[in-house]
Amino acid sequence: MTVHQLSVFIENKSGTLVKVLKLLKQEDIQLIASTIADTADYGICRIICSEPERAYTVLKEAGVAVSLCEVFAVELDDRPGKAADAIEIFAGEGISIAYLYSFLLNGKGVLIFRTDNSEKAAEIISANDLKIIREKDLSKLL
Amino acid sequence: MIWNPNKESMPREQMRELQGKRLHKVVDYVYHNVPFYRNKMQEMDINPNDIRSIDDIVKLPFTTKQDLRDNYPTGLQAAPASEIIRFHASSGTTGNPTIVGYTRKDVSVWSECMARCLTAYGVTRDDVFSVAYGYGLFTGGLGVHYGVEHLGAAVLPTSTGNTEKHVRLLRDLGVTGIACTPSYALYLAETMERMGITPDMIKLRVGAFGAEPWTENMRQEIERRLGLKGYNLYGLSEIMGPCVSYECECQNGSHICEDHYFPEIVDPNTLETLPHGQVGELVFTTLTKEGMPLLRYRTRDLCSLMDGECECGRTSVRMGRIMGRSDDMLIIRGINVFPSQVESVILGMPECAPRFLLIVDRVGNLDTLTVEVEVRQEYFDAGFDTLTPITDLEKKVAEKLRSVLSISVKVKVKAPNTIERSQGKSKFVIDNRKIQ
């Protein structure tokens, strides 16, 4: 019930991010969402894209410090308070969110997140009928 | 196997006698041919006849790198120009380069000593041996080259650079031995891995590594990644080049070719001779050199000497691992710091690649030390997706360094392959302090 996310370790130096994005461009891989978490010296660029496994191989072969991980993608109605409702369910069960970002796709809100307990998070998602987006659905939405 | 048992396993008393005779001869030779030494000896009120046994060596003046620079280019040369058949020169990044002239006999002694080293590593006529030290003014390339030829093995003069071609030749020619710097050996391993060539696809069996400091951890890493056994090869161009000392199969110190290069250990501050077993600055006197013989040359390398017959059957004095350089030593907030200490910590961290950079700075009136380390590529395969493990790693390395160095260190983790690789000697330190 998860989707693949690329996590790229990049240094805060001009040219490092563009190198990663150009590699994806050359392979005709499309970004769906991305976000950067940073400190003074380096950051992590998290990327949801059209063909994550192929993108991972491409970046790895080019010597980019990349890992492929699994994150939850939940679809929400594009209305005020929907994100709050969803996160509240997790907080109520004592689950912490490690990181979260969101974007709009075809009029629907999408929340991408990772928790400190993936197993329990999956149970909560099922029990509360949250609408999960699967990887094949993501590329269909493009 | 021992190349020259006559010399390498000579009874101690006989060796001392030989050294005494040769020392007298070389002192007499420089006294009459090198004004620098004649003046020094006259100032000290000694003449060649005062040097009768090897114990008399302590009466002689020292020679420093600065003396070589002051007498640039050939002021310390003893042989007439017509007898010199080759020159080598040091890089000279910190002043005049050091130029060393060799006579035909010098080159032949060099080849002989180098053949001793190679034989101790187990190299025979049947081997194909790649020389991946730089060829040219640096003594590494040609020095080992002549030794391999003298031994009768086949030499592959690869030099440095064009590493992918080198890897292909290693594989296609079934090369069994290699000589290079330890950092180039790691670069070679990385190149091999990138090309998808595993150690079982090549036949390397023996590696002779030297020309820069390296540690036991680094040896294990090179041995694992190249599938060979790594031996220490020590030398310096002022004395000859690679061949001054070498490890045997026992790997308990490096045997010194002491019938040609007489070793002493002195206190770098007082210049007093220290007994064997104590760590101090290594000093060499060339006993047979003709081109540019040196008396009590201060190498700046810190190590200790070991006596006693080795299990391999050699009787020669052995030198321990180089602990650092008396001039590489950084003084940070009054504490002595050797890059080799940092290296041993980094190599003990499985998450880190064996590359690092020390950056010394002065902020206000306080010295700061930043250590940049590279994370291994494999580290990311385990599913890295938050910065916490990176910051934890920084803390872990910083704590370890603090306990080893006794000063606090800022650690900066770098992405794989971002710290510059050198194909010659590694540059480990950037000192930005501007001290007025």
Side-chain angles (χ1 to χ4, degrees), chain A residues 5 7-9 11 37-39 41-44 46 56 60 63-67 69 71 99 114, chain B residues 194 375 377 380-388 390-391 394 410-418:
Chain A
Q5 170 194 273
S7 299
V8 183
F9 179 67
E11 279 179 55
D38 71 309
T39 69
D41 298 324
Y42 43 72
I44 291 185
R46 301 188 175 104
Y56 172 70
K60 204 175 165 204
V64 174
V66 60
S67 79
C69 16
V71 290
Y99 58 81
R114 222 193 78 175
Chain B
R194 218 176 29 245
V375 196
Q377 181 75 45
F380 294 96
D381 295 343
F384 141 101
D385 84 329
T386 64
L387 286 171
T388 322
I390 298 285
T391 46
E394 284 182 343
K410 178 175 163 40
V411 173
K412 235 163 128 174
V413 165
K414 308 277 285 180
N417 305 308
T418 51

Side-chain angles (χ1 to χ4, degrees), chain B residues 80-262:
Chain B
S82 58
E83 295 300 310
I84 300 295
I85 63 162
R86 195 196 295 170
F87 286 109
H88 281 284
S90 76
S91 47
T93 42
T94 49
N96 278 338
T98 305
I99 295 182
V100 186
Y102 298 76
T103 65
R104 189 172 301 280
K105 187 191 157 207
D106 292 339
V107 171
S108 126
V109 167
W110 191 357
S111 309
E112 149 73 19
C113 292
M114 195 58 231
R116 292 183 193 176
C117 307
L118 293 163
T119 305
Y121 307 150
V123 178
T124 70
R125 304 171 58 87
D126 298 327
D127 284 293
V128 180
F129 199 93
S130 168
V131 179
Y133 280 120
Y135 276 63
L137 291 173
F138 174 50
T139 50
L142 285 171
V144 180
H145 182 108
Y146 271 58
V148 177
E149 286 194 352
H150 185 56
L151 176 83
V155 62
L156 184 69
T158 38
S159 195
T160 53
N162 207 343
T163 309
E164 290 196 4
K165 185 173 181 184
H166 188 176
V167 170
R168 274 195 295 278
L169 287 172
L170 290 182
R171 184 191 59 193
D172 300 344
L173 270 177
V175 173
T176 45
I178 184 169
C180 60
T181 59
S183 56
Y184 189 72
L186 287 170
Y187 180 69
L188 189 70
E190 276 167 26
T191 308
M192 258 174 61
E193 284 153 21
R194 218 176 29 245
M195 291 168 73
I197 293 178
T198 52
D200 58 313
M201 293 158 77
I202 57 168
K203 289 189 177 152
L204 277 184
R205 156 180 92 68
V206 173
F209 304 116
E212 66 186 22
W214 59 311
T215 61
E216 196 51 44
N217 290 330
M218 208 162 164
R219 183 200 317 256
Q220 286 167 13
E221 159 125 27
I222 294 169
E223 289 185 339
R224 178 175 58 77
R225 290 170 73 182
L226 289 179
L228 50 67
K229 193 148 173 52
Y231 296 90
N232 196 37
L233 171 62
Y234 175 84
L236 60 165
S237 59
E238 296 87 340
I239 295 304
M240 188 63 99
C243 80
V244 173
S245 78
Y246 53 91
E247 278 179 328
C248 63
E249 68 269 23
C250 306
Q251 298 196 318
N252 181 19
S254 296
H255 291 277
I256 298 172
C257 295
E258 50 166 336
D259 50 329
H260 297 291
Y261 323 110
F262 183 79

Side-chain angles (χ1 to χ4, degrees), chain A residues 65-103:
Chain A
V66 60
S67 79
L68 190 61
C69 16
E70 298 187 352
V71 290
F72 291 108
V74 171
E75 188 186 300
L76 303 171
D77 287 337
D78 183 20
R79 279 191 291 132
K82 283 288 151 190
D85 296 345
I87 303 304
E88 196 181 5
I89 300 172
F90 292 97
E93 299 276 349
I95 300 276
S96 301
I97 304 287
Y99 58 81
L100 174 147
Y101 52 104
S102 63
F103 58 99

